[in-house]
Amino acid sequence: MNDLIQSHQRNGLLTLTLNRPDKLNALTNGMYNQLADLLFAAGEDPSITAIIITGGEQCFTSGNDLKDFLQDPPTQLNSPAFRFMDAVIQLDKPLIAAVCGAAIGIGTTLLLHCDQVLVTRNAKLRMPFVNLGLCPEFGASLLLPRLIGHTQAARLLLWGDGLDGTQAVALGLANEVFEDGPECLNAAQQLAEQLIALPRDALLHTKRLLKQPVLQELKDTLRRENLLFMERLKSTEAKTLLEAMLARSAAKG
């Protein structure tokens, strides 16, 4: 199995670690597909009770790998990135995110679907969709205003403002802030172990009940966002901005 996603299962806990540190854990189509496969399988596996997703001690994810993204953009609703989103939305087991360092784009919108979000003080959360000529994804246009209010959501989605770990907790996008990566990852492990010690059926029923009221509305929103996202990718505006960003990245080496 591709080691860009490390999968470790023990005592009811599945830990998924993005493992592309040289590229700041930028996500490729292959990584999205692998994450989707692992999450779909975890949902069906009775030996798994809880899941942690992390990028390790230094960086959660810098978002999409731009070169891969521009060479093979999503063109269908079952494209790899959208499969990953679907796998997360369908997951009926607790999901904990341990966010150390940067969490850009989908690195932040993913957090809206997690049951606990732990961050380091130096975490950098940002959703620069408009800045890149795109639109929100992963249900952010629905979930973010409900979580933090319209005006705060507008600052993050329209202006593309960023947040550090302390600000993310204050705003309600994360639960706890930690000084460094090891402390954050250890706390996520402890939270997961607490869940696994609870009555399993009651835990999973409660997780399903928490998701149910918004599930259909979320699926409808996701479809609208994804259709518009694919349309925006074809626009001159987005192509120009994304290619310029890729060129700047290449110039930096």
Side-chain angles (χ1 to χ4, degrees):
M1 182 173 287
N2 193 326
D3 63 1
L4 296 182
I5 307 294
Q6 293 183 340
S7 173
H8 180 258
Q9 183 178 342
R10 183 182 179 189
N11 298 331
L13 172 63
L14 174 66
T15 301
L16 301 177
T17 304
L18 309 180
N19 184 41
R20 200 184 179 205
D22 58 317
K23 298 295 185 181
L24 299 178
N25 292 332
L27 293 158
T28 64
N29 283 313
M31 293 169 74
Y32 279 127
N33 269 329
Q34 188 176 351
L35 284 166
D37 291 343
L38 288 164
L39 289 172
F40 281 129
E44 300 295 327
D45 188 342
S47 69
I48 295 174
T49 299
I51 299 161
I52 292 174
I53 186 164
T54 182
E57 297 180 358
Q58 301 300 321
C59 178
F60 190 56
T61 175
S62 56
N64 287 308
D65 180 293
L66 280 182
K67 184 176 181 180
D68 182 76
F69 193 61
L70 290 172
Q71 287 178 345
D72 189 14
T75 56
Q76 304 177 69
L77 291 174
N78 64 349
S79 292
F82 300 154
R83 281 192 69 235
F84 167 64
M85 295 177 192
D86 190 42
V88 172
I89 288 171
Q90 290 191 39
L91 187 66
D92 60 1
K93 295 177 179 179
L95 179 62
I96 298 170
V99 179
C100 309
I104 309 302
I106 197 168
T108 294
T109 56
L110 166 63
L111 307 182
L112 301 172
H113 303 271
C114 296
D115 300 290
Q116 292 287 288
V117 177
L118 310 184
V119 295
T120 53
R121 197 169 300 280
N122 71 342
K124 298 297 180 186
L125 281 63
R126 190 166 177 242
M127 295 171 285
F129 302 116
V130 170
N131 309 73
L132 296 173
L134 301 172
C135 68
E137 35 86 322
F138 219 160
S141 62
L142 171 70
L143 297 178
L144 194 63
R146 290 191 178 182
L147 179 63
I148 65 175
H150 174 83
T151 56
Q152 294 282 15
R155 288 301 295 266
L156 301 183
L157 291 176
L158 296 179
W159 279 262
D161 284 5
L163 303 169
D164 62 25
T166 301
Q167 292 169 324
V169 170
L171 204 54
L173 282 171
N175 300 91
E176 297 180 69
V177 62
F178 299 90
E179 289 300 326
D180 57 34
E183 187 181 356
C184 183
L185 294 176
N186 184 59
Q189 178 82 22
Q190 291 179 7
L191 277 177
E193 289 172 354
Q194 291 170 9
L195 285 175
I196 291 166
L198 295 171
R200 187 176 186 277
D201 287 350
L203 178 71
L204 300 186
H205 281 306
T206 302
K207 163 75 179 189
R208 295 185 190 106
L209 286 170
L210 281 168
K211 293 186 73 166
Q212 192 60 44
V214 74
L215 187 57
Q216 188 57 53
E217 190 176 7
L218 178 57
K219 289 179 179 179
D220 293 342
T221 300
L222 195 68
R223 178 181 175 84
R224 287 194 298 272
E225 286 179 347
N226 291 348
L227 288 171
L228 181 56
F229 196 93
M230 289 188 287
E231 182 180 321
R232 292 300 308 153
L233 278 172
K234 298 175 185 176
S235 69
T236 301
E237 187 175 59
K239 286 179 179 178
T240 300
L241 290 164
L242 288 166
E243 287 170 0
M245 186 176 179
L246 181 61
R248 289 194 300 271
S249 179
K252 291 178 182 178

